Amino acid sequence: MRAASEQLEFELAALYRDQMQAIESVRQQQRVVAITDKDQDVVGLYREGDLVELAVLYVRSGRVIEAATFSQPRVEVPDSEVIASYLRDHYGEEGLDQLIPDELILPELPEGAEGVAEWLSERRASLAAQVGRKPRKTQLFCPERGVRRQLLDLAQDNARHAFDEKRRAEQDVEERLGRLQARLRLPVVPRHIECIDISHLAGQDTYGSIVALKDGLPNKRDYRS
């Protein structure tokens, strides 16, 4: 990383830095071991203004087996409502995650936490009945100490790291688009770019295709052929 930086290869240096941080994150996850057979989902939250990043650790038999992050721009509600919205969107009937764990470890408890826990337990019982399993209750925790707190701290760190990395990526795109604007002497930053190719075989079977980019990233909705 230092060598790349000294050679002014800053993007390569940033890549090495990200790899180092990823390795350290894995090491931290492996250190967090709980003596329990309960399934736990741990939700971390990081916020700057109306920009919110959520990170979720999926803990099974005391081990972090998977992690995911979710960005939420233009959020004006308090953190407790953000958490409530996450629980509803991910564990409700139309949710992304149909596996409701034994414990949900949260940075803040949503309003009416007991009712939310009861609702999740009922949802879990319904899902268990469909596959012939014994229903189990779901509990919500906002821990201050102990192993649960260590897991929450790790999720909070993941949320902050994801927030920083996504912001840095946006800044890198802005810098590259600015260089492209200067190179092509464009009056404005090229937010929307389309690349068109026409091919044919000896003047026959003409085929055209368009690939599009929005703010420097592929925008497949505008691809055409």
Side-chain angles (χ1 to χ4, degrees):
M1 181 180 68
R2 293 192 185 96
S5 179
E6 290 171 358
Q7 296 173 15
L8 305 182
E9 296 179 352
F10 298 117
E11 291 185 3
L12 183 60
L15 175 62
Y16 291 145
R17 180 202 61 196
D18 295 346
Q19 290 175 340
M20 291 169 58
Q21 292 176 342
I23 292 171
E24 181 59 27
S25 177
V26 170
R27 292 176 60 193
Q28 290 178 3
Q29 291 179 13
Q30 289 177 338
R31 284 198 296 266
V32 178
V33 179
I35 304 175
T36 178
D37 61 350
K38 296 182 181 297
D39 292 341
Q40 300 165 306
D41 288 0
V42 189
V43 181
L45 184 150
Y46 182 80
R47 181 176 199 150
E48 287 190 10
D50 63 351
L51 302 177
V52 172
E53 189 75 22
L54 292 174
V56 185
L57 304 180
Y58 299 94
V59 182
R60 301 295 180 263
S61 300
R63 290 282 184 177
V64 179
I65 64 168
E66 189 178 354
T69 60
F70 307 92
S71 300
Q72 297 190 5
R74 297 182 295 279
V75 175
E76 298 180 357
V77 298
D79 292 350
S80 59
E81 292 189 30
V82 175
I83 295 299
S85 176
Y86 169 81
L87 298 179
R88 180 180 63 252
D89 292 343
H90 282 72
Y91 302 111
E93 292 185 2
E94 304 297 328
L96 300 176
D97 193 340
Q98 294 297 315
L99 180 59
I100 301 175
D102 300 300
E103 297 181 359
L104 277 159
I105 301 173
L106 310 169
E108 284 195 28
L109 292 178
E111 184 177 352
E114 291 183 3
V116 174
E118 184 177 349
W119 167 69
L120 288 169
S121 297
E122 291 174 355
R123 285 275 303 136
R124 195 178 186 195
S126 175
L127 295 171
Q130 295 177 16
V131 295
R133 292 181 181 175
K134 183 179 179 180
R136 298 169 68 177
K137 290 186 177 181
T138 294
Q139 295 178 287
L140 307 186
F141 293 94
C142 181
E144 296 294 333
R145 61 184 64 85
V147 174
R148 289 190 182 96
R149 183 68 212 188
Q150 294 178 39
L151 288 167
L152 181 59
D153 289 342
L154 179 58
Q156 297 281 73
D157 288 344
N158 281 13
R160 177 187 55 77
H161 177 68
F163 183 95
D164 291 342
E165 288 304 301
K166 290 176 183 179
R167 172 166 289 187
R168 184 185 65 79
E170 292 174 358
Q171 293 171 346
D172 288 347
V173 168
E174 289 295 321
E175 181 181 348
R176 290 196 295 271
L177 290 177
R179 291 201 301 265
L180 182 61
Q181 178 188 4
R183 182 72 62 86
L184 299 179
R185 297 186 177 89
L186 301 176
V188 295
V189 174
R191 296 290 177 190
H192 188 87
I193 300 172
E194 291 187 352
C195 306
I196 304 172
D197 178 69
I198 307 294
S199 62
H200 61 86
L201 292 174
Q204 302 295 320
D205 299 322
T206 303
Y207 188 89
S209 61
I210 298 176
V211 296
L213 297 95
K214 184 176 182 180
D215 292 329
L217 298 175
N219 182 27
K220 295 189 176 181
R221 289 184 178 180
D222 286 347
Y223 282 27
R224 296 290 186 273
S225 62

